[in-house]
Each structure stands twice: as structure tokens, then as C-alpha cells.
Amino acid sequence: MVRAARVAPPPERGRRQLRRGGFGSRSEATETLDHARDLLTLAGHDQARRDDVAELLLATIRAGQPLPDIEDVRRRIRADLSLTGIPTLADYLTEWLAGLTVEANTITGYESHIRVHIIPHLGHLPI
């Protein structure tokens, strides 16, 4: 297991470390470490933005996804968009179901398909 980067904690939490393992080689682990550090550097001295980047990194690792592209994160920071507030397919489908105005049996069928087939396999994907 390689420690990728130290992530600054929000005031209410203790210190957090971004950890990820399973690399094929030391150079692959080093590249991932450098990538995580580069992403944290994008925030500069803005602590709130740095916390956003840290949350994005932690969420990405928890979901088993590759680290986000540096240019994509840079664009989102420049546009002052949320980095962690990106809804997932599961979030979207849950809200969509709640807003449907069709028969109850139709909603029950949709809910079943979404819960059993879509969310377990694709629910983690950001929209």
C-alpha cells in the first residue's frame, strides 16, 4: 500500500491520508502520488478549495475510480464549480423516480429495475 498524499482535514475531523494500493510497480505508484499532489496543488492557498480537492480524491479512491484529469479539475476550479457536488447516476435516478407522475405499478417496476440492475453496476458514475 502506498500513501499517495496527506490531505488537510476539515477543522471538525482529524488528519486524513489518501491511501491506495494494488499498483503493478513502484513507478506506477509514484506516478499516482505525483498526480494526487498535482491535483492538491491546483487549489493554491485557498483552504476551502483544497478541502474540495481532498474530498474529490477521497471519493474517487473509495469508488475505485482512477484519479480525475488535472485539466478537468483545473477548469472546474477556474469556473468556481463544486468538485465534490457532482451527482451520481444513483442520485439522479432516485430524484427522477420521486418526481414521476405515472401509475403506481409503473413506478414500482421502474424502482425495482433501478434498484436491482442499474444502481449496483452504474450508480457510482458521475453524471
Side-chain angles (χ1 to χ4, degrees):
M1 186 174 298
V2 173
R3 288 184 190 147
R6 288 183 190 237
V7 179
E12 67 274 2
R13 288 193 244 167
R15 178 149 107 196
R16 301 172 296 168
Q17 288 188 352
L18 180 65
R19 294 178 184 221
R20 182 170 167 221
F23 296 103
S25 66
R26 185 179 187 96
S27 64
E28 185 182 346
T30 302
E31 286 175 23
T32 302
L33 173 64
D34 291 342
H35 188 100
R37 286 180 177 158
D38 290 344
L39 286 169
L40 285 168
T41 303
L42 291 176
H45 296 293
D46 182 353
Q47 189 59 47
R49 201 39 111 163
R50 193 170 174 83
D51 290 343
D52 285 347
V53 173
E55 286 298 323
L56 174 66
L57 290 172
L58 291 169
T60 302
I61 295 299
R62 273 187 238 120
Q65 300 293 317
L67 294 179
D69 182 58
I70 292 174
E71 285 306 313
D72 289 342
V73 174
R74 181 178 284 130
R75 273 191 295 265
R76 293 184 70 77
I77 288 174
R78 284 184 183 155
D80 200 28
L81 299 173
S82 171
L83 300 178
T84 56
I86 302 169
T88 63
L89 184 59
D91 297 333
Y92 172 77
L93 289 174
T94 303
E95 287 182 32
W96 176 75
L97 269 176
L100 280 181
T101 54
V102 293
E103 291 187 27
N105 286 340
T106 304
I107 291 176
T108 302
Y110 287 174
E111 188 274 331
S112 174
H113 285 5
I114 289 169
R115 181 178 39 83
V116 173
H117 300 289
I118 297 174
I119 289 178
H121 302 287
L122 303 173
H124 66 281
L125 296 175
I127 295 189

